[in-house]
Amino acid sequence: MRSAYGSHVYRFLLTRQWLITMLIALLLIPATIRLGFWQLHRHEARVARNELIGKALTDPPVPYDSLSPAPGFAVPKDLTWRAVTATGQYDPAHEFVVRKRTDSSGDTIGYFVVTPLKLSDGKGTVLVNRGWVASGATATEYPPVPAAPAGEVTLTGRLRAEETYGASGIKDRAGLPDRQFNLINTDQQAKETGATLLGGYLELAATTPAPADQPQLIPEPNHSDIGPHMAYAIQWWLFTAMIPVGVWILARREAKDRARQAGEPETVTEPVPA
């Protein structure tokens, strides 16, 4: 016959300690479910971004001023990384460098070299990120930069939205050395140069005719890596399943300990999992 104690062995679940434990478990379950969906949405956003970049890079190039037609034009996400062409002459007098940027390996900090290109059709000027160069001897010294090609050139590159603190997290600081900036920003450079700058900028991929020397070109963005977000989502959902199982195991162990201390048989009524 089952002992009277055995039928009531799980009454400890009504104690303050266990009620708090089960309340925490009940709160954790929806939290971990939501965290799983958060990671799932990040995975979906990453996949969508990769598809968008891949399409933008493989579509046939179009003239820059057909996509960024006016000063102040904000480049939308679906046009970012779009392959574009531009023909004109560089304006080396208003060239500048952008501080604290890494080379193609991501290991060495230097500068991006940005040179305005006056379009041959007279529709305006576009900022061209010609690539990366190493730092000079000191942080205040303008770095050695390969000269921009003289004469008319035709460029192929990737359309980029201008940089802002909100989009990049990079703060724009005042008091920097001459022709050094923290951001590639057309509004800022329009004030500096007085030129009519079209919105966004071009990230250089190729030049015709090819120059004898040039900064290190910036590689295409990685659009194949989907990141660990799906794995994280699955982990959170596994945690969700483990919470009631963990509570059940703890309750089972507590019941056995209480039965042993009371001198009762260790076979006790199974609790219903939380």
Side-chain angles (χ1 to χ4, degrees), residues 71-96:
F73 175 75
V75 178
K77 287 185 178 180
D78 61 338
L79 292 181
T80 302
W81 305 110
R82 183 71 165 81
V84 295
T85 59
T87 299
Q89 292 188 346
Y90 278 118
D91 176 15
H94 294 111
E95 181 176 87
F96 63 95

Side-chain angles (χ1 to χ4, degrees), residues 190-203:
K191 294 176 183 177
E192 292 283 333
T193 64
T196 302
L197 295 177
L198 300 182
Y201 68 94
L202 188 152
E203 190 173 87

